Amino acid sequence: MTHVAIICDDSCLQPKLPQFFICKTASISRKDLEALEPELSPNILVYRRKSRWLTHAVFAAILRALAVVLSKEAPEKQPIVFLDTCPVHLHRGVLWTLKRKNLWPMFVPPNLTWLLQPLDPHAFSQYNWTIRQNYSNYLVSHGHPKCPAATMIRLAADATRTVLQGRKWDRCFNSEGFGANQTQLGHVLKHYDQVLGIQADVNPQLDTVLLRWLLPRSSRLPLSLFLPNTRPS
């Protein structure tokens, strides 16, 4: 199972954000999933697919579902979606979906997700630990190593409710440099800030030079996909 997790810096909005689980069709039947869904929170969405890996088509569907929730729950806010530069996130269809749904992407440069993406250094460590604890408790109480897919979904949903929905993440965004108060930077970023003398640009201009630095070297995407007021050819 793959969990596409969503967190934000608004503690009121966080419990309403959708969380997406991708399961193999071979691991859970449609009937079992329909029986399970009433037990899950409304914001837990389970996709049955041939593969549990995230594809560009599934991710585009996830973005559309996310846009629906944001337009309803936070219509006055401009959503900014933090993404790494894996091939799925850079697919033409995904980028065009982001544009159509007015979701502004913020791409974390290659090899820097450990430092700049709030999910990686903060949320996932706590989330994975909670899932392991839930799984261990299940094994102890049932006395055998097999864990059905439906049970695994329940364990992950419980960890989601406890960790992702039950905590405030605004300090994590601030510590990665994405808040208005730059004095709350994490100690690693503060070190780089002091050594390099980095100053924030109050009016940054997105140009082709900057885009080439942000994207993987192997990327062959037309840069018009990223620039404002342009339509991909």
Side-chain angles (χ1 to χ4, degrees):
M1 184 181 75
T2 296
H3 180 183
V4 180
I6 312 288
I7 64 171
C8 71
D9 61 349
D10 186 335
S11 58
C12 295
L13 179 60
Q14 181 61 49
K16 303 173 184 177
L17 289 179
Q19 304 291 332
F20 303 91
F21 297 167
I22 307 171
C23 299
K24 291 179 64 175
T25 53
S27 65
I28 185 169
S29 67
R30 187 183 301 275
K31 181 180 178 180
D32 288 345
L33 180 57
E34 290 175 352
L36 173 65
E37 284 177 339
E39 302 179 28
L40 304 176
S41 300
N43 66 318
I44 301 288
L45 304 179
V46 183
Y47 293 171
R48 289 179 71 246
R49 295 293 185 271
K50 185 177 180 180
S51 169
R52 66 181 178 87
W53 298 111
L54 184 66
T55 65
H56 65 82
V58 172
F59 191 54
I62 285 172
L63 291 173
R64 290 192 291 269
L66 175 62
V68 169
V69 173
L70 292 175
S71 64
K72 177 183 177 182
E73 301 294 344
E76 75 287 356
K77 297 181 183 291
Q78 171 58 58
I80 300 175
V81 183
F82 291 77
L83 301 166
D84 61 28
T85 54
C86 74
V88 166
H89 296 162
L90 294 175
H91 188 274
R92 282 171 175 260
V94 167
L95 296 174
W96 187 229
T97 299
L98 287 164
K99 256 194 166 181
R100 275 206 324 258
K101 297 302 178 181
N102 196 33
L103 301 173
W104 291 1
M106 178 173 285
F107 289 99
V108 177
N111 303 316
L112 286 177
T113 55
W114 67 273
L115 179 64
L116 297 175
Q117 195 174 49
L119 265 172
D120 279 24
H122 299 284
F124 278 150
S125 59
Q126 301 172 42
Y127 173 74
N128 291 335
W129 183 88
T130 303
I131 284 187
R132 285 194 295 269
Q133 288 295 110
N134 291 348
Y135 181 64
S136 297
N137 293 337
Y138 172 83
L139 295 182
V140 170
S141 62
H142 288 75
H144 59 78
K146 291 186 178 180
C147 182
T151 299
M152 200 66 222
I153 293 173
R154 291 188 186 96
L155 299 180
D158 180 72
T160 298
R161 182 170 54 254
T162 303
V163 178
L164 299 184
Q165 296 176 203
R167 300 179 183 230
K168 296 180 179 181
W169 299 108
D170 54 326
R171 292 182 64 182
C172 299
F173 283 85
N174 288 332
S175 69
E176 306 304 326
F178 300 121
N181 189 354
Q182 295 293 296
T183 62
Q184 297 180 16
L185 284 178
H187 69 280
V188 177
L189 280 177
K190 280 184 178 178
H191 171 74
Y192 282 112
D193 182 42
Q194 294 167 358
V195 171
L196 300 177
I198 299 173
Q199 294 183 351
D201 190 341
V202 296
N203 187 27
Q205 296 297 316
L206 188 63
D207 56 25
T208 56
V209 175
L210 178 59
L211 280 172
R212 286 300 181 199
W213 181 78
L214 288 172
L215 298 175
R217 293 181 180 179
S218 59
S219 174
R220 296 293 182 268
L221 286 167
L223 300 185
S224 61
L225 284 167
F226 301 90
L227 299 173
N229 302 320
T230 59
R231 185 183 181 91
S233 56

